[in-house]
Amino acid sequence: MFDRRIAARVAGCSLTMSLIAGVTVLISDHRSEPPARPAVTIAGPYANLLASSDDLGPSRLDHAQLTVGLRESTRPDPLLHWAATKGLDVRWQSGEDWAIVEGAPHVVADAFDVPVHDYRGKQGQVFYASPQQPEVPAAVRTTVTDLGRILGFTPHREARPDFIPLDVPSQGLTPTALLTAYNANPLTEAGFTGKGQTIVFFAFSGYDQGDLDDFASMSGLPPLKPILVGGQPSESRAETVMDLEVAHAIAPDARMVVVNARPTLEGGRTYERIAEMFDATNQQFPGAVWSLSIGWGCDALITATDLKPVQSALERAHRNSTSAFDASGDTGGLECKGGPNWSSAPGPDDVGLDAISSLPGMTSVGGTTLSTDENGQWLAEQAWIDSPLSQGTSGGVSKLFPRPAWQRRLTVERDSGKKQRRLTPDVSALADPFTGVRIRFDQQDLVGAGTSQAAPVWAGLTALMNQYLLANGGQRLGDLNPLLYRVAAGAREAGFRDVMLGGSAVDVAAPGYDLATGLGSPNVAQLARDFLAIQKGMAPR
């Protein structure tokens, strides 16, 4: 008979099955273990979040959980046995190096020897959390490497572009000027318009089909009719309308898909839900280009273990040749500012990265101010910063991830020691609302803005490059970051325009890689040829 308290979710199957049926735990097997080290009180933005919320006392909610990292991707029997003795459930998927441990909040609190309370946030949300980071229990140290947070709320970021009306001198870039600025014309003039490619937008906001119809008509482009998955996310429309129109301006024959990402905010299991959303999208639209202009908390709120489900899902999508772009953020490198969730004086705790954008498997996109001539020809670019409005491109040094192999040759002042952490952004594109793309929103002609504009720019350009590569004996780009840094290290042609001016609230642009604009903005025709040369094994120039 199944023990309903201990279960594993088997890949590809919703059947919940016992992992300890038929296992006898003998009293003689119990050995004395060294006591666990005392839990540590979590500081920084996490502490700010709890301090700005009302402590309602020991949690009365039905459920609490945390993610645990595993030493191996085989069945974690010691964890399963330990959880059984504590009255906890374990969910583990075959082949993964992480698992979810869950149960009633008081049971989780007792098992990990930390308090778990309910809190009411500044926006009225009620969630469970522990102010302390638990240690790995001594009984499972041979199996479990680390633990995530006990936190049932993830502050999310929904970009709200500060659209500029068309009384500014430039009046926004037209599709033709946008393609010209990033030297994508040689591809489009050769017939590469995104045909056969799919661009997926993960969104917290909806869209008005009337805006999309108007944009396509006034731009002389084919109709823009997205596929909607999961229903309209919300009544808010600005972000998704901009993303769709910007990508359509670049790749008008690509299939556009909008995935409702709001369910990831429900039920206190955000990162697991993101992974499930990514897996479902990967199955339905394999080989697509993903664009995200939203965020699920800063990297100082959580641990790398919390993000293991998302990274695993990204890796599965990469194996299907998916490329994924995420906006680095619009707070000038201060992604850990609490906004409506907590308030504190500006300080070091504000410095941080968007957690999902900082994943090694995600291509993080920063923002620039773009200068062109009247025909759209590129003249100059600098890091986007608007100090009076506390806006600008975000980036920096990860608190969670080590330096990936493809970034190890880089040197930046903020990470010049032995730590060698993941650096963001990876690349950049136009984000300044005074130099953005002309869009149609709420029956008005406006100019797009933010790194949430830069991400769909890269997504649209990647759709063009994928079509070009396939037509010339290559393959879809898939996991893009290793290729980007290989091109930057020495390619046949200059695939990037180095951005050396401007900065964020934390970092300055500089020759080569920098923490404001990454490797720079794309020189698309040359970048596409670089990718093709790499895929065909041609040596760098």
Side-chain angles (χ1 to χ4, degrees), residues 370-390:
L370 172 68
S371 298
T372 68
D373 66 16
E374 60 183 8
N375 297 317
Q377 289 288 343
W378 187 92
L379 296 176
E381 229 163 334
Q382 67 182 52
W384 168 53
I385 183 68
D386 189 336
S387 297
L389 294 179
S390 299

Side-chain angles (χ1 to χ4, degrees), residues 175-334:
T176 299
L178 175 59
L179 292 165
T180 300
Y182 286 124
N183 193 27
N185 306 64
L187 297 189
T188 58
E189 290 169 0
F192 299 110
T193 57
K195 188 173 183 179
Q197 309 305 307
T198 299
I199 304 176
V200 176
F201 304 88
F202 297 95
F204 287 154
S205 63
Y207 59 87
D208 185 335
Q209 185 60 50
D211 286 334
L212 307 185
D213 292 341
D214 288 349
F215 175 79
S217 177
M218 75 182 194
S219 302
L221 298 174
L224 173 51
K225 306 285 186 184
I227 298 170
L228 181 61
V229 178
Q232 288 277 5
S234 73
E235 294 182 359
S236 172
R237 296 177 288 113
E239 175 58 48
T240 303
V241 166
M242 180 182 70
D243 290 0
L244 286 165
E245 292 179 357
V246 166
H248 191 63
I250 296 169
D253 288 327
R255 177 172 59 170
M256 305 290 179
V257 177
V258 175
V259 175
N260 183 353
R262 286 214 166 260
T264 62
L265 304 174
E266 302 167 358
R269 45 188 290 263
T270 295
Y271 299 110
E272 195 182 2
R273 288 184 182 273
I274 295 171
E276 292 168 354
M277 177 181 70
F278 282 0
D279 279 333
T281 303
N282 179 36
Q283 292 171 13
Q284 189 171 0
F285 305 103
V289 180
W290 293 358
S291 178
L292 296 90
S293 297
I294 56 180
W296 291 269
C298 85
D299 60 346
L301 276 173
I302 57 175
T303 73
T305 301
D306 290 303
L307 292 174
K308 278 181 175 288
V310 186
Q311 181 64 21
S312 293
L314 260 181
E315 290 170 359
R316 286 189 287 274
H318 286 158
R319 290 195 286 271
N320 272 340
S321 299
T322 291
S323 299
F325 298 93
D326 195 358
S328 68
D330 298 343
T331 61
L334 306 177

Side-chain angles (χ1 to χ4, degrees), residues 345-359:
D349 284 351
D350 295 335
V351 177
L353 307 178
D354 177 85
I356 299 298
S357 183
S358 73
L359 283 164

